[in-house]
């Protein structure tokens, strides 16, 4: 149980900070497809953590170009999405109406979510490399360490996605959406800059 809790607490601390993926989930949680989006994020994290605990972190360390490609690819994606958020903030008037369906399709939402997850090098560094390397300290119980980290991902993503609905009354006002769009844009561009500065 102590090994499980160690994995849970570390996994939760690594994904707790608001990042590009979390900002997207928060925004999506105010709209639709919340369960699917949260499930995609949690399952993706589970895959990364499993690879890390199974020793995939060694491969990433051996071939650093994988991290470089992911870093610049992620920076480009985040820059484009960030600029689109600013464009939306200054050219559109959004208002959340209970039960309203967005114009975005489920496939588009899932693909965007996958891009935020799989093109984010921080995800690889935190889950595959960091959690993978730390799990070796818990041999032969590294499975329970990984299980704790995976559980933390499910708890966090679903709490974030469904917790966003408590903000629904606030986001009935168009100005609140503009603030959210600007905040998302700032987060995206700042993370993109930090990825480039890592070089």
């Amino acid at each position: 149980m102590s090994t499980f809790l160690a994995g849970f607490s570390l996994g939760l601390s690594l994904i707790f900070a608001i990042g590009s993926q979390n900002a997207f989930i928060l925004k999506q949680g105010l709209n639709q497809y919340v369960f699917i989006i949260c499930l995609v994020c949690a399952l993706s994290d589970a895959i990364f953590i499993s690879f890390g605990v199974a020793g995939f972190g060694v491969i990433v360390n051996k071939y650093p170009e994988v991290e470089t490609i992911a870093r610049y690819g992620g920076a480009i994606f985040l820059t484009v999405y960030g600029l689109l958020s600013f464009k939306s903030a200054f050219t559109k008037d959004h208002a959340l109406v209970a039960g309203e369906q967005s114009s975005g399709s489920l496939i588009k939402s899932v693909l965007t979510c996958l891009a935020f997850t799989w093109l984010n090098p921080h995800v690889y560094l935190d889950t595959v490399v960091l959690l993978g390397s730390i799990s070796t300290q818990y041999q032969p119980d590294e499975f329970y360490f990984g299980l704790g980290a995976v559980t933390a991902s499910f708890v966090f993503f679903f709490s974030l996605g469904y917790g966003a609905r408590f903000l629904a009354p606030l986001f009935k006002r168009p100005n609140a959406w503009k603030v959210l769009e600007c905040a998302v844009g700032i987060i995206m561009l700042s993370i993109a800059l930090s990825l480039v500065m890592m070089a």
Side-chain angles (χ1 to χ4, degrees):
M1 180 59 72
S2 61
T3 301
F4 175 88
L5 291 177
F8 183 90
S9 59
L10 181 58
L12 191 62
S13 65
L14 289 175
I15 61 176
F16 191 79
I18 291 294
S20 57
Q21 183 189 46
N22 296 343
F24 173 75
I25 296 174
L26 182 62
K27 182 178 176 182
Q28 193 68 37
L30 294 167
N31 215 322
Q32 61 178 348
Y33 312 132
V34 183
F35 178 82
I36 297 298
I37 296 302
C38 292
L39 184 63
V40 167
C41 290
L43 288 178
S44 295
D45 253 23
I47 292 173
F48 291 137
I49 293 170
S50 297
F51 279 151
V53 173
F56 192 72
V58 177
I59 298 177
V60 177
N61 287 328
K62 186 176 181 180
Y63 300 101
E65 60 270 16
V66 173
E67 186 272 335
T68 301
I69 294 173
R71 176 155 46 86
Y72 283 106
I76 293 172
F77 173 80
L78 292 174
T79 298
V80 172
Y81 197 94
L83 294 176
L84 290 176
S85 291
F86 282 117
K87 179 182 178 182
S88 177
F90 292 107
T91 62
K92 298 180 181 180
D93 285 324
H94 298 286
L96 182 67
V97 178
E100 182 185 70
Q101 298 296 304
S102 72
S103 58
S105 67
L106 173 60
I107 294 178
K108 180 181 178 181
S109 297
V110 170
L111 289 177
T112 302
C113 180
L114 287 173
F116 274 123
T117 304
W118 292 79
L119 292 180
N120 184 356
H122 288 299
V123 173
Y124 294 94
L125 293 175
D126 289 345
T127 58
V128 178
V129 179
L130 186 57
L131 283 175
S133 61
I134 293 177
S135 69
T136 60
Q137 302 176 16
Y138 294 90
Q139 292 181 343
D141 298 320
E142 62 267 29
F143 169 80
Y144 295 102
F145 178 87
L147 182 61
V150 169
T151 302
S153 293
F154 274 85
V155 170
F156 176 81
F157 287 126
F158 279 93
S159 296
L160 182 64
Y162 283 97
R165 292 178 178 267
F166 289 103
L167 299 174
L170 173 64
F171 286 96
K172 287 181 180 178
R173 296 180 290 180
N175 285 339
W177 273 103
K178 291 182 182 295
V179 172
L180 178 61
E181 291 281 14
C182 287
V184 169
I186 292 172
I187 291 172
M188 303 302 176
L189 294 182
S190 62
I191 295 176
L193 179 62
S194 69
L195 293 179
V196 175
M197 296 298 290
M198 286 171 59

